[in-house]
Amino acid sequence: MAQITEILGGDRFRINSFERASRALAELAEDVAAIGPDAKALQRIEGIGEGTARRIAEFLETGRIKDHDELTAKVPSGLLKLLDIQGLGPKKVAVLWKEAGIEDLASLKRKLGGNALADLPGFGRKTVENLRKNLAFIEQAGQRYRLGDALPMAVWIVEQLRPVRGVEQISYAGSLRRGRETIGDIDIVVAFKGRDRAGLIEAFKGLEVVDEVLMSGSTKTSVRTGDGMQVDLRIVEPQQYGAALMYFTGSKEHNVELRERAQKMGMTLNEYALSRVKDEKVVASKTEQEIYKALKLAWIPPELREARAEIALAGKGRLPTLIELADIRSELHTHTTASDGHWSIEELAACAVERGYHTVAITDHSRSQVQANGLSAQRLEKHIEAVRKVAAKLKGRITVLAGSEVDILADGALDYPNSLLKQLDIIVASPHAALSQEPKKATERLLKAIHNPYVTMLGHPTGRLINRREGLSPDMKRVIAAAAERGIALELNANAWRLDVRDSHARMAIEAGVKLSINTDAHGAPDLDQLIFGILTARRAGATAQDVINCMSRQELARWLAATRG
Ligand code: DGT
Ligand code: CA
Ligand code: CA
Ligand code: ZN
């Protein structure tokens, strides 16, 4: 309200009082909702006057503030976004809007392209140049980061800070702990023993990945890494660790439902503790387990904390036993030097043995994948022989399957004739080209491939690349129904660029009784490490080991593969 009033050229006294109230709220140790919609009590907060207290009470009661609604209606809806750009305050934004007709980031970007701002008061060449730079930055930083980039960064930071004096427990929280495919920022929670937190805060700010310190205080420090990722560090007392970890893990919606449950049980839940209402006595706070238990719930894995049905299930003790990394016993989608991989059949198989897998499938690209050195029919026949040789050599140590990642062509036909497909042990059918096809065509295309009698699984069904390429948008209900009918599996490609199928579609598949296959699509042995991203995504879908064919025993898998042959 302060900002809009200033843009509109309003009264200085009003602007100041709004600003003071805003700071007071931001600095409040507790959630203002805990005080309640009591104007008298709110007015006791330093910096909050009569008018503001009334408005806060209005907000706590109705979720809106009439004066705020009236103010926002007076300016274009995209205008306030300009304030996010470094170097643009309300006064400059007012000039841009009134003198140059700029209403949002897009129109600012257009005008910055030309020389249109040169004549405006206060917009010299240097200012305009900086605006360009800062706009470009927020466009880029406004993006979400891929799980594949954020998770290793968070793990590294946690390991750097764990040995720091006073650190009792430390974990990343937020959307990252919930395993989301993209992450807005990294949240880290530390249980710190003792009073001198400076050493920890300095260690955090001094990490070599830190580019800029955004804010720093004794409970919260925020930094930006060289990659533009924001990392929030929150320090709490050891006895509050469970409550804080839970709160900052979220999701927000899950937290809201938990708080409602606590209230019905005569308790309050916040980032510090679960407490009894009647005497404010702390019921549980040190561990998540204790808090869930006091709420008469089983501990809920973070990946499920999205306010779907997890709280009801946890209440009945019926949460699924989610799949874990160690449940995976085979890798069914790999590439070797025969197409675009970097390792030989034998090298790759040896690495699969090292990981304790009982089966590995060699599935190089098919002939249409020219840029990936896809195998012609003739080369494939030779390749099958080569795989069989390695298989014979490694017999007793690992089962090596001769397979192919066969292209699903734009019309749904497969890239090899059935006479050739018949000779293979396993067939991953995937779309690689024509990925901007309209949804209806994409659906027909995938359905046709599913009905080929030799297909074992549909590989990375949409072909999307996270933050880079949208891929196909087929009707996944129909695709999954067809896969169920045919008895084939749906791949959950674990490569962090792909995560295809995504969590929601994996959940649909499980509910329809379709098996998932979690594969890394390894082009070299290090790629096998991508598995974790697929596991996290599968856990978000509620997958158990029973839902995933890579968790079957050698014999079970062999039987299942034979049975998919239509
Ligand atoms: P992100 O970073 O956009 O990928 O998503 P999150 O879930 O990590 O969200 P973030 O970083 O804004 O906050 C971390 C967690 O803190 C969030 O999952 C729940 C909790 N949290 C933050 N703000 C609020 C709030 O206003 N109310 C409640 N109940 N929880 C909040
Ligand atoms: Ca976050
Ligand atoms: Ca955050
Ligand atoms: Zn592929």
Side-chain angles (χ1 to χ4, degrees):
M1 291 174 75
Q3 290 171 336
I4 302 175
T5 308
E6 191 167 2
I7 291 172
L8 293 169
D11 180 59
R12 189 73 240 172
F13 178 79
R14 256 174 103 77
I15 298 168
N16 286 347
S17 101
F18 286 152
E19 261 169 10
R20 230 185 359 261
S22 160
R23 261 200 313 278
L25 283 177
E27 283 163 15
L28 208 57
E30 61 186 328
D31 189 335
V32 71
I35 300 171
D38 173 354
K40 281 245 161 58
L42 290 165
Q43 237 178 291
R44 261 175 249 135
I45 303 169
E46 164 112 48
I48 294 195
E50 199 188 334
T52 321
R54 180 177 48 73
R55 291 188 187 95
I56 295 171
E58 186 191 346
F59 179 77
L60 291 175
E61 255 174 356
T62 66
R64 306 197 73 85
I65 299 173
K66 207 167 134 268
D67 289 351
H68 178 261
D69 290 353
E70 278 174 19
L71 273 177
T72 48
K74 287 184 186 163
V75 294
S77 60
L79 194 66
L80 294 185
K81 270 271 165 221
L82 298 185
L83 292 167
D84 292 346
I85 304 172
Q86 234 184 348
L88 278 189
K91 286 208 182 64
K92 280 210 163 70
V93 168
V95 172
L96 288 172
W97 176 36
K98 289 178 185 149
E99 313 278 348
I102 287 167
E103 302 200 324
D104 52 26
L105 289 176
S107 53
L108 173 65
K109 195 175 176 185
R110 273 198 305 278
K111 299 258 161 135
L112 278 172
N115 213 13
L117 304 184
D119 297 327
L120 293 180
F123 286 85
R125 235 191 45 180
K126 194 97 199 266
T127 310
V128 170
E129 199 45 54
N130 278 333
L131 267 187
R132 275 201 196 103
K133 248 183 36 206
N134 296 337
L135 177 62
F137 179 74
I138 71 153
E139 279 187 317
Q140 176 254 320
Q143 260 189 15
R144 297 177 62 81
Y145 287 83
R146 292 181 308 114
L147 177 63
D149 293 330
L151 184 60
M153 173 68 86
V155 167
W156 183 84
I157 294 174
V158 164
E159 288 324 310
Q160 301 309 300
L161 299 182
R162 198 187 294 284
V164 173
R165 211 182 142 93
V167 172
E168 280 208 339
Q169 294 194 73
I170 179 165
S171 171
Y172 54 83
S175 52
L176 185 58
R177 186 160 176 247
R178 304 200 309 280
R180 282 194 57 179
E181 64 187 36
T182 63
I183 270 76
D185 68 0
I186 295 175
D187 304 281
I188 295 176
V189 182
V190 175
F192 191 88
K193 195 174 174 178
R195 267 177 305 149
D196 188 11
R197 296 173 167 184
L200 171 61
I201 294 167
E202 286 314 308
F204 178 56
K205 293 195 290 193
L207 290 173
E208 63 202 61
V209 294
V210 170
D211 201 46
E212 190 190 350
V213 176
L214 303 172
M215 64 162 288
S216 186
S218 65
T219 56
K220 181 181 174 188
T221 298
S222 294
V223 300
R224 197 186 300 286
T225 69
D227 305 331
M229 244 184 267
Q230 185 175 324
V231 188
D232 293 345
L233 179 76
R234 291 191 170 81
I235 310 174
V236 304
E237 299 287 330
Q239 69 270 19
Q240 297 169 340
Y241 183 67
L245 185 60
M246 230 165 120
Y247 181 88
F248 292 113
T249 294
S251 66
K252 214 183 231 178
E253 293 74 17
H254 176 84
N255 290 350
V256 167
E257 286 191 9
L258 279 183
R259 277 204 299 271
E260 283 167 7
R261 185 180 178 94
Q263 251 153 33
K264 283 194 193 122
M265 296 171 72
M267 296 185 280
T268 56
L269 176 64
N270 56 29
E271 64 204 272
Y272 307 110
L274 177 70
S275 324
R276 270 205 309 243
V277 172
K278 58 173 186 206
D279 54 5
E280 293 178 14
K281 195 174 167 280
V282 171
V283 178
S285 63
K286 194 161 194 313
T287 68
E288 287 191 343
Q289 278 80 357
E290 289 165 31
I291 297 171
Y292 278 111
K293 193 164 171 217
L295 290 167
K296 297 206 180 335
L297 295 171
W299 179 80
I300 301 176
E303 296 89 340
L304 296 179
R305 300 182 193 173
E306 297 289 353
R308 277 194 203 90
E310 73 276 10
I311 293 178
L313 288 174
K316 289 183 255 173
R318 284 182 36 210
L319 285 171
T321 305
L322 298 183
I323 185 171
E324 289 175 17
L325 212 45
D327 293 325
I328 295 287
R329 307 187 57 199
S330 58
E331 166 65 55
L332 302 176
H333 181 170
T334 67
H335 299 268
T336 70
T337 48
S339 61
D340 61 347
H342 314 299
W343 294 54
S344 68
I345 303 166
E346 201 163 346
E347 285 169 328
L348 204 60
C351 290
V353 172
E354 242 169 66
R355 283 178 189 248
Y357 293 164
H358 60 63
T359 299
V360 62
I362 307 297
T363 56
D364 278 296
H365 284 292
S366 62
R367 60 185 171 190
S368 288
Q369 282 303 295
V370 178
Q371 78 291 347
N373 191 23
L375 277 63
S376 66
Q378 238 178 356
R379 283 182 61 215
L380 177 61
E381 287 187 351
K382 279 233 174 78
H383 190 49
I384 295 175
E385 269 175 45
V387 174
R388 301 262 182 249
K389 256 198 200 134
V390 174
K393 204 164 149 190
L394 293 177
K395 200 164 177 209
R397 296 176 66 200
I398 192 165
T399 300
V400 184
L401 300 178
S404 172
E405 183 183 21
V406 185
D407 246 54
I408 304 175
L409 304 177
D411 65 356
L414 296 190
D415 205 13
Y416 292 127
N418 283 354
S419 56
L420 194 50
L421 296 178
K422 202 151 74 178
Q423 302 176 41
L424 296 162
D425 305 321
I426 181 169
I427 289 158
V428 182
S430 322
H432 287 110
L435 293 176
S436 38
Q437 219 166 26
E438 60 173 271
K440 225 174 124 199
K441 269 205 168 139
T443 308
E444 297 308 324
R445 174 188 191 179
L446 298 185
L447 291 181
K448 190 168 166 195
I450 289 169
H451 286 297
N452 177 292
Y454 297 102
V455 167
T456 314
M457 77 176 80
L458 195 57
H460 54 68
T462 73
R464 69 152 175 182
L465 295 178
I466 295 172
N467 281 356
R468 186 184 278 178
R469 177 172 82 202
E470 196 184 345
L472 302 172
S473 308
D475 180 343
M476 286 305 286
K477 272 232 167 74
R478 287 184 64 200
V479 169
I480 286 166
E485 191 194 324
R486 229 330 241 108
I488 68 162
L490 211 58
E491 182 179 60
L492 197 175
N493 194 296
N495 185 290
W497 276 107
R498 295 191 180 276
L499 297 179
D500 187 9
V501 293
R502 67 179 68 220
D503 52 6
S504 54
H505 293 154
R507 182 176 284 271
M508 273 169 67
I510 293 166
E511 280 164 5
V514 172
K515 296 279 187 216
L516 297 174
S517 182
I518 307 180
N519 299 306
T520 66
D521 198 349
H523 285 65
D527 292 342
L528 294 171
D529 288 333
Q530 301 263 321
L531 190 58
I532 183 63
F533 308 121
I535 294 291
L536 287 169
T537 306
R539 288 169 64 88
R540 289 180 59 77
T544 68
Q546 284 70 45
D547 297 316
V548 178
I549 62 171
N550 306 68
C551 304
M552 292 175 170
S553 71
R554 187 198 309 259
Q555 294 78 6
E556 274 178 300
L557 179 63
R559 267 201 302 276
W560 187 86
L561 287 173
T564 59
R565 292 269 152 122

